[in-house]
Amino acid sequence: MKILFLMLFLVSLFLFPNVIRKSLAARPSVVSIGSILRFNSTTGGVSAVAIHAALENINSDPTVLNGTMLQVDMRDTNCDDGFLGMVEALQFMETDAIAIIGPQCSTIAHIISYVANELQVPLMSFASDATLSSIQFPFFVRTMPSDLYEMAAVAAVVDYYQWKIVTAIYIDDDYGRNGIAALDDELTARRCKISYKVGFPSNAKRSELLNLLVTVSNMESRVIILHTGAEPGLKLLSLANGLNMMGNGYVWIATDWLSSYIDANSSVPAETINGMQGVLTVRPHIPKSKMKSNLMSKWSSLSKKYNHSDLRLSAYGFYVYDSVWAVARALDAFFDDGGRISFKNDSRLRDETGGSLHLEAMSVFDMGKKLLGKIRQVNFTGASGQVQFNAQGELIHPAYDIISIIGNGARTIGFWSNYTRLLSTVLPEDLYLKPPNTSLANQHLYDVIWPGETAQKPRGWVFPSNAKELIIGVPNRFSFKEFVTLDNGTGKMTGYCIDVFTQALSLLPYPVTYRFEAFGSGTENPHYDQLVRKVVDNEFDAAIGDIAITMSRTQTLDFTQPFIESGLVILAPVKKHITNSWAFLQPFTLGMWCVVGLSFLVVGAVIWVLEHRINDEFRGSPRQQLITIVWFSFSTLFFAHRENTMSTLGRGVLIIWLFVVLIIQSSYTASLTSILTVQQLDTSIRGLDDLKNSDYPIGFQVGSFAEEYMVKELNISRSRLKALGSPEEYAENLKLGPKKGGVMAIVDERPYVELFLSTNCKIAVAGSDFTSRGWGFAFPRDSPLQVDLSTAILTLSENGELQRIHDKWLKTGECSADNTQFVDSNQLRLESFLGLFLICGAACVLALVIYFGIMLRRYLKHEPPESISAEPGSSKSKRSLKRFFSFVDDREPPKQKRSLRLSGSSMPTTPTSNVDIERPVRPIRNGGVVNIES
């Protein structure tokens, strides 16, 4: 029998060598993995229980590892002391572990990642430090979402509530610094920023934390991001509550340390929970699953069994639990693929001084790369959701719950998912079933009770009580001082713009300390581009005044809501009303008058030709016919012609001509009315096109953006531009004109122009505004004061205060009403009506060609060709032409109607259809046939 078994074994070994080799060498009875945790922390305690729970489930199921037992060697590390923690971790690496769960501390994870790379041992870490990357550390496997995603969720919350600046408080280690750096990047992408960041050591004293919070309370931002561990974070929240920093106006957003603490601790002290009411926090989203439910149901007994009965299950527990399962599944695939567990010494690891680290005891895992590959290929649904790694070595579909601390616990107000990178009240796993919708309009969160027990969203910032006063630049103008001026006696700034600014400030719910600083000498208007540049360079905290909002300025600054409309317009001199006796001739040019008169005569002659043969009203002596032509032509001007047109061609020509007369008459009436009632521009520049195409000099106000606009946008040569510094120079240069050293026109902004026109009646606006802009107050980028002042300006506009300030400073004079009516009313030229005349002329020519064609055809029928060709030689053509014109001039004879056979007595008299016969027709009975004769 024994011989039989031996023979079967040898045959199997020969036929299936790989299978036998795997069964003998690839499945050891026990496999050891390591774990580096901080046992005295909440996260460390939850992780320890989760590891034991995973081991129990794996080892109790023989199908997972096919009989191989998985065991873990746990070591405690000191995260507070980086040096001691590093030494303890290095000592742990002397053991021959094929994989390591942890560490939870980013500082230790950085050190161990270098060692894991050297020893080729996969490091299954739940350290969230974003700088820990599989690119730098190939054997580093992150088994929970990175801080990159957590900070993206926090930044999305900040952006959703439209807060532009935040204060960041963080623990000063790798975890804290790198997390805030990631937050800064995410906020910058949303045009938000960290206005103040402050770090503190893990062993900071209470007095140091108090000083830190006092400093933060003096900052303008009231949105505070707290990125620490649980112990220092709770201490900071407690101290902030004592400093009244948990009341109205404040916003506290804690990272996932707070949600992990609340989830893991079964009994949070009432004093602690009361001190964090209204705080927002985030928590890695754990979708519902069967494995999650099983783990939660067993957690109470497991925590008691492993001496952590006071801890509940948190998100970290789910991820650690799945980390162990990922190693087990990878090991099973590793063994199935012929993997073996063996170690070798690295000759480079030698402790020459004989220290206690025993570097020579560290061994390299021979097939560590193969096991790492199997780990990165795992794909299963675990307690934390789908466990699968992308090409970058990160878990797929990272998502976070957005949580509000209220009452005795936490309330989920929404979710953030990397799938859409938006906030939503829809579960992330439901979003994965649809194409990603990244529209910001889809963002939504449930209502929040903020610190101070208010449902109203905090502003997010205040003007700091101890802040330096704002230095506000104000242009020191030389002209148009109604807008802004400096009183040299008192040094006080006054004017329309100043009143708008001070009234808007009075509507803010907080005080603003400021002082005005004049910009410019006052002997000429300052250059406004230089003024706003000082705001960009932080020499001024803001700039107010008559500052135009231009595209180039908005690229570097933020402007408030415009408080007055402004656009560039053209100023030009005007003529007086025309009051001479020949004013009625002004609407048309001489050429237009000549063409109109000639057209009347031509159309009259054409109608005469078309009607002369058949219409007795166009017949008679030559004198009578000439009078008829002239009378008929000019009577059409008033639609008073009495002669009937009988021919179809004549009626067609007349209809077209009457339409032309209607247009000419209406245009003449409108132009004459304008000439007699409105003053006329006394310049060849009447609009933007004339401005660009002419070569005349053009004036502009000193310091205005109009100069650069005309040069860069309208391509007007700078040599044509003349700088003018006052309203007096405006009037003088327009009066002189270009021939005497003045200008043809002036380009300036409408508010200045309206003020100028109120006292200058001989100047007007040519054309309409050719830019649409406004005046606003300039602030640095992302200044919250700009947003609040814009709201205040809108309030001033709605309650009428803005108009009252306008009426106070910008009173209009006697000329204002008249000057707004100036229009460009040139004489009407032939070019404007050329199309009409061409249509009418073409109709006349076409009618004549058709008419003479018909006449020629009738003539040839009337005169046989034999009689024409029988005439001699040279006089033949003259005689034929004479007979043809004689035929055309003759009265057309009445047309003979066909005889009609009647059965009755007599026919009523009827006129012929084609010839107008004034004499009545009389029927002549001849038997049963009636003949109709004239």
Side-chain angles (χ1 to χ4, degrees), residues 216-496:
V216 169
S217 68
N218 291 327
M219 298 297 154
E220 58 180 341
S221 174
R222 284 293 184 265
V223 180
I224 303 171
I225 311 296
L226 193 55
H227 185 52
T228 69
E231 184 178 348
L234 293 174
K235 187 183 296 184
L236 277 168
L237 290 177
S238 177
L239 294 175
N241 189 38
L243 294 173
N244 294 323
M245 294 177 66
M246 301 297 294
N248 284 332
Y250 280 92
V251 177
W252 288 83
I253 303 177
T255 50
D256 63 356
W257 64 265
L258 181 56
S259 62
S260 297
Y261 172 81
I262 293 176
D263 290 342
N265 286 273
S266 57
S267 59
V268 180
E271 182 181 357
T272 301
I273 198 71
N274 290 336
M276 61 177 70
Q277 295 294 301
V279 175
L280 297 183
T281 184
V282 296
R283 174 176 58 201
H285 177 69
I286 308 297
K288 294 180 180 180
S289 66
K290 183 177 180 180
M291 189 173 286
K292 174 184 177 181
S293 301
N294 292 338
L295 181 59
M296 293 180 66
S297 63
K298 298 177 182 178
W299 186 261
S300 179
S301 60
L302 289 170
S303 61
K304 291 179 181 179
K305 179 178 179 180
Y306 296 106
N307 301 320
H308 290 286
S309 59
D310 57 332
L311 295 180
R312 296 183 301 182
L313 188 57
S314 68
Y316 280 89
F318 292 114
Y319 286 114
V320 173
Y321 180 84
D322 284 345
S323 298
V324 180
W325 268 98
V327 173
R329 290 177 179 271
L331 276 173
D332 185 52
F334 172 78
F335 291 142
D336 286 343
D337 198 24
R340 292 179 301 170
I341 298 176
S342 61
F343 295 87
K344 65 181 179 181
N345 293 327
D346 190 340
S347 59
R348 295 173 298 174
L349 299 176
R350 291 284 182 240
D351 190 356
E352 301 295 341
T353 60
S356 60
L357 286 179
H358 302 293
L359 296 178
E360 69 279 359
M362 296 183 184
S363 302
V364 178
F365 182 18
D366 288 330
M367 303 191 75
K369 289 184 178 180
K370 189 168 188 175
L371 178 59
L372 176 66
K374 298 300 180 182
I375 290 175
R376 295 198 181 279
Q377 292 174 7
V378 297
N379 185 0
F380 66 96
T381 301
S384 63
Q386 188 68 21
V387 180
Q388 184 182 354
F389 299 97
N390 59 21
Q392 292 74 37
E394 301 284 350
L395 287 173
I396 65 171
H397 298 324
Y400 283 86
D401 301 340
I402 312 300
I403 298 170
S404 172
I405 307 301
I406 185 70
N408 294 324
R411 171 175 171 259
T412 301
I413 61 172
F415 309 94
W416 178 90
S417 169
N418 190 56
Y419 184 66
T420 61
R421 297 190 70 82
L422 297 177
L423 298 170
S424 174
T425 54
V426 180
L427 289 170
E429 52 267 32
D430 293 338
L431 295 176
Y432 302 151
L433 304 176
K434 307 173 185 177
N437 189 338
T438 58
S439 173
L440 293 177
N442 294 326
Q443 287 203 125
H444 180 64
L445 291 177
Y446 292 120
D447 294 336
V448 178
I449 301 299
W450 301 100
E453 299 182 354
T454 176
Q456 184 178 3
K457 184 199 78 172
R459 179 191 308 274
W461 79 285
V462 296
F463 198 83
S465 58
N466 65 339
K468 65 176 184 178
E469 62 181 1
L470 295 179
I471 301 176
I472 299 177
V474 182
N476 186 12
R477 294 191 58 86
F478 172 73
S479 62
F480 298 108
K481 294 187 175 183
E482 291 85 352
F483 294 105
V484 59
T485 184
L486 172 65
D487 189 336
N488 293 324
T490 62
K492 184 179 180 181
M493 304 295 297
T494 58
Y496 168 73

Side-chain angles (χ1 to χ4, degrees), residues 608-641:
W608 176 83
V609 170
L610 299 175
E611 297 289 327
H612 174 71
R613 183 173 170 80
I614 63 175
N615 193 338
D616 288 340
E617 294 183 356
F618 287 88
R619 300 187 65 82
S621 65
R623 180 174 176 273
Q624 289 177 334
Q625 294 183 53
L626 180 62
I627 293 174
T628 300
I629 291 174
V630 175
W631 164 254
F632 179 83
S633 300
F634 287 97
S635 63
T636 57
L637 178 62
F638 310 102
F639 306 99
H641 52 285

Side-chain angles (χ1 to χ4, degrees), residues 896-912:
Q896 186 77 20
K897 290 292 184 178
R898 66 182 179 89
S899 297
L900 301 175
R901 185 172 299 275
L902 301 175
S903 58
S905 57
S906 64
M907 285 283 294
T909 60
T910 57
T912 62

